[in-house]
Each structure stands twice: as structure tokens, then as C-alpha cells.
């Protein structure tokens, strides 16, 4: 390798039919991304962590090997994580993907100066890639942009040329995941956490400093991206919210907002309403943290009740707002750092000399 790349983009996947035509979607989005990175001459790598490959199905690394053709600036690496590393967390038998653990494998092994996780079925706007291609990112910053959800009528968009696809996505936007205003009761930094898992760009040392995404004893992986953003801020990274840049996502039935519901017991709801009427909002919030309610249920894994957002996220973010960096959410060997995993480079850039 002549020199490390400027940018690493980390995604995760497994050949399990997560969405219709998943392999074709993945091939399309990876090719699209590599062509963008080549167009703006960004020395980069795209890391695909193939997590817990289903037995009997071909590896995505095999299916997609050779489809990219020549690439001048973007290498594409597949890292295969065998099934034994998936076993253990609650719900592992029913859900084959652990997003936190898979992303961490790639974040830990990224070679770029800057790194961002990316859901592999999303698309970067031209403005976003051109901004990165100015090569003026700051090690002291963490960069965010909005995700725009587009609803396409059928799968014909998979056959559109790149420029026509971006135009079609822009025409079919149904939701902009822009900045949310958090409750003042939460006592946290005002950071752009909405859909932040699709784009948190910061330096590689910063990712190592916070040890990637938090360790999750379940496969639900709720709040992890928001916690990482607040952890980075506590360690000194100031947020930059790009306004004109964006990411497009073709929405499907497995998007987060469609999966998660809050579960209140009657006494919890009555108590919460009573305290708020009595202007005891701080006590109401503290009880949600201390007693862990309302719990959350994720469709498809109803047997697991996740912690309340107040206990799982808000309490941590409030500590990070005080720059409490003693709060560490992962182990020193995060991202399977001690393991030797099988890797395959399916496209090699000019900078990436073995």
C-alpha cells in the first residue's frame, strides 16, 4: 500500500433476502458509490462486512466478485465474519444480523483517515461526495447530513443510469429526516441524531477513541448511532451539520421507524401524567431512567423488551454532555480486534498496492 486512503466507508450485509432483490440492490448501490468516488478522485475504500453468512447460500463476496470492473480510486473489501461470532446476544437465533458488531468489525479495520458507516442500500447525493472531495475535512469535527426517504413505485429504479436515479430519488422523497429538537428535560447536547446511523463521518482515531458502537447484549442495536455521536462530542469533536448534502434511502418495510413501538403499563402512564401535571417533569424523567419505562418492542422480536430510551440513551447522553469520558460502552478488543478474519478485495484502486 503506497499510502492510506482519505476515506473509508463501512457497510454490513448478509445474503439472506433482507429486502426483495437484495443482491441486485447491493450490486447497484456499490457500483453507484464506487463510480462517485472515482468521479471525484477520492482515494477511498468501501468495506463490506459479511456477517454470519447463511449456510447454503453463496457469499456475497462471491456473487459480487468482478462486477465492478476497473476502479482508479476506490477499493472494495469484503470481510467475512463466521457464524460462531454471532451466537450469544439475545435474539441471535431469530435475527442473523448484529449491526453494531458487524459495523465495528469494519470500523476497527478501516485504513482511511476518515471513516463513516453506511447502510449499503442508501445513495449519496452528488453534493455530498463533491464536498468530501474537497479534501478539507477536519480531524476535530464530526460531520452529519440529513437522510431523505424516497418511495419508489416498483423495482425499475434499479435499472436507471446514475444521474437519472438521483433525479428519480429526489422526485419521490416522502420524508426528510432533518434535525430534531430534543426535550430540555433530557439535558443533553443539541446534536443531529435523527437517522445518524446512515452518516457519521469522523476521523479514524476518534472512532477508536470511543471504541465504535456500543456493545449490545441483544441484536436490537437501538440508539447506538446516537450514543456514538454524543460520545464523540464528549471527546472533543464538534458537530458540523451539512445542509445541502444528503443521503437517499429507498424505504421498505424494515425501516426503523416502522419497527419500534413503546410499551407502557397502566400505572406507569398514570404516574407519568400525574407528575407532569404537578410540574414534576424532572422527577418523571428520572423515574423513566431508574425504573426503565416505557420499554420498547421491535417487530419480529416481540419476546425481547428493549430498555427505555431514557435509560438506554438519554442517561448516557446526559453524562456525555458533562464531558464524562469515563463512560465507555465497549471492550478494548471491540470489533473482534483480536481475531483474524477472512478478507477479499474485489476491486483494487491504484493507491492500494499489496
Amino acid at each position: 500500500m503506497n499510502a492510506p486512503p482519505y476515506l473509508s466507508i463501512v457497510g454490513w450485509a448478509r445474503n439472506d433476502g433482507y429486502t426483495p432483490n437484495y443482491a441486485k440492490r447491493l450490486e447497484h448501490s456499490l457500483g453507484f458509490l464506487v463510480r462517485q468516488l472515482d468521479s471525484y478522485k477520492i482515494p477511498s475504500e468501501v468495506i463490506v462486512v459479511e456477517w454470519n453468512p447463511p449456510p447454503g447460500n453463496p457469499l456475497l463476496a462471491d456473487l459480487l466478485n468482478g462486477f465492478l470492473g476497473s476502479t482508479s480510486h476506490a477499493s472494495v473489501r469484503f470481510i467475512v465474519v463466521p457464524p460462531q461470532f454471532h451466537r450469544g446476544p439475545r435474539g441471535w437465533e431469530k435475527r442473523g444480523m448484529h449491526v453494531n458488531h458487524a459495523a465495528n468489525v469494519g470500523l476497527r479495520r478501516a485504513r482511511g483517515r476518515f471513516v463513516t458507516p453506511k447502510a449499503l442500500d442508501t445513495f449519496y447525493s452528488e453534493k455530498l461526495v463533491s464536498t468530501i472531495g474537497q479534501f478539507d475535512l477536519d480531524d476535530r469535527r464530526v460531520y452529519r447530513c440529513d437522510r431523505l426517504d424516497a418511495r419508489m413505485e416498483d423495482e425499475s429504479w434499479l435499472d436507471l443510469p446514475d444521474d437519472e436515479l438521483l433525479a428519480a430519488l429526489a422526485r419521490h422523497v416522502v420524508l426528510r429526516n432533518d434535525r430534531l429538537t430534543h426535550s430540555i428535560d433530557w439535558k443533553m447536547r443539541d446534536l443531529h441524531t435523527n437517522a445518524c446511523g446512515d452518516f457519521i463521518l469522523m476521523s479514524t482515531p476518534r472512532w477508536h477513541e470511543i471504541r465504535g458502537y456500543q456493545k449490545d447484549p441483544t441484536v436490537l442495536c437501538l440508539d447506538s448511532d446516537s450514543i456514538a455521536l454524543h460520545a464523540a462530542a464528549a471527546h472533543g469533536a464538534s458537530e458540523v451539520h451539512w445542509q445541502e448534502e444528503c443521503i437517499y434511502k429507498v424505504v421498505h418495510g424494515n425501516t426503523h421507524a416502522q419497527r419500534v413501538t413503546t410499551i407502557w403499563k397502566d400505572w406507569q402512564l398514570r404516574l407519568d401524567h400525574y407528575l407532569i401535571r404537578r410540574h414534576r417533569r424532572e422527577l418523571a424523567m428520572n423515574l423513566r431512567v431508574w425504573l426503565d419505562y416505557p420499554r420498547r418492542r421491535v417487530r419480529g422480536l416481540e419476546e425481547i423488551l428493549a430498555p427505555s430510551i431514557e435509560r438506554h440513551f438519554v442517561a448516557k447522553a446526559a453524562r456525555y454532555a458533562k464531558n464524562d469520558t469515563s463512560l465507555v460502552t465497549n471492550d478494548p478488543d471491540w470489533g473482534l480486534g483480536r481475531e483474524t478474519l477472512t478478507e477479499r478485495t474485489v476491486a483494487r484502486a491504484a493507491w492500494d498496492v499489496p
Side-chain angles (χ1 to χ4, degrees), residues 52 83 86-97 219 301 304:
N52 181 32
H86 179 66
R87 301 187 186 105
R90 293 181 61 200
W92 70 270
E93 304 96 333
K94 292 189 66 174
R95 177 173 294 175
M97 172 61 70
V219 295
L301 287 168
I304 302 175

Side-chain angles (χ1 to χ4, degrees), residues 95 220 222 259-261 296-302 304:
R95 177 173 294 175
L220 300 179
L222 300 179
R259 293 186 290 118
V260 181
T261 56
R296 289 173 290 173
R297 179 172 289 148
V298 178
R299 191 181 66 202
L301 287 168
E302 287 80 0
I304 302 175

Side-chain angles (χ1 to χ4, degrees), residues 6-203:
Y6 187 69
L7 177 68
S8 294
I9 299 172
V10 175
W12 46 92
R14 64 192 303 264
N15 189 18
D16 62 353
Y18 175 65
T19 59
N21 296 321
Y22 182 69
K24 185 176 181 180
R25 285 191 180 207
L26 184 60
E27 178 179 325
H28 192 286
S29 61
L30 277 176
F32 183 96
L33 178 60
V34 167
R35 289 189 292 273
Q36 284 182 312
L37 296 168
D38 259 354
S39 176
Y40 289 94
K41 298 179 171 57
I42 302 173
S44 51
E45 64 177 357
V46 181
I47 301 172
V48 181
V49 178
E50 191 157 358
W51 182 266
N52 181 32
N57 291 356
L59 290 173
L60 289 167
D62 291 332
L63 291 175
L64 301 179
N65 188 31
F67 83 97
L68 288 170
S70 61
T71 169
S72 298
H73 296 85
S75 287
V76 180
R77 302 163 57 195
F78 277 78
I79 303 174
V80 179
V81 181
Q84 64 263 30
F85 294 108
H86 179 66
R87 301 187 186 105
R90 293 181 61 200
W92 70 270
E93 304 96 333
K94 292 189 66 174
R95 177 173 294 175
M97 172 61 70
H98 196 300
V99 171
N100 285 19
H101 295 177
N104 282 343
V105 166
L107 294 171
R108 181 76 185 243
R109 290 160 177 78
R111 298 173 290 178
R113 179 180 166 189
F114 296 92
V115 187
T116 179
K118 180 185 185 293
L120 290 173
D121 58 352
T122 59
F123 297 89
Y124 287 172
S125 69
E126 286 294 305
K127 177 63 175 174
L128 175 57
V129 184
S130 67
T131 297
I132 296 172
Q134 294 175 17
F135 302 103
D136 59 357
L137 299 176
D138 191 327
D139 295 346
R140 299 164 297 178
R141 306 285 188 260
V142 54
Y143 297 91
R144 289 280 297 113
C145 70
D146 297 345
R147 190 188 82 200
L148 277 60
D149 293 346
R151 189 175 301 281
M152 311 299 277
E153 293 181 359
D154 51 43
E155 298 290 307
S156 61
W157 60 271
L158 288 168
D159 300 315
L160 292 175
D162 295 348
D163 55 346
E164 293 183 25
L165 173 59
L166 283 177
L169 291 170
R171 287 195 307 271
H172 291 87
V173 170
V174 294
L175 176 65
R176 185 181 191 102
N177 296 278
D178 52 11
R179 197 180 199 95
L180 297 176
T181 300
H182 295 301
S183 169
I184 60 173
D185 300 316
W186 286 7
K187 298 180 181 179
M188 64 173 65
R189 283 185 172 90
D190 179 22
L191 300 177
H192 183 12
T193 57
N194 192 14
C196 64
D198 289 300
F199 192 81
I200 304 177
L201 175 62
M202 56 186 173
S203 70

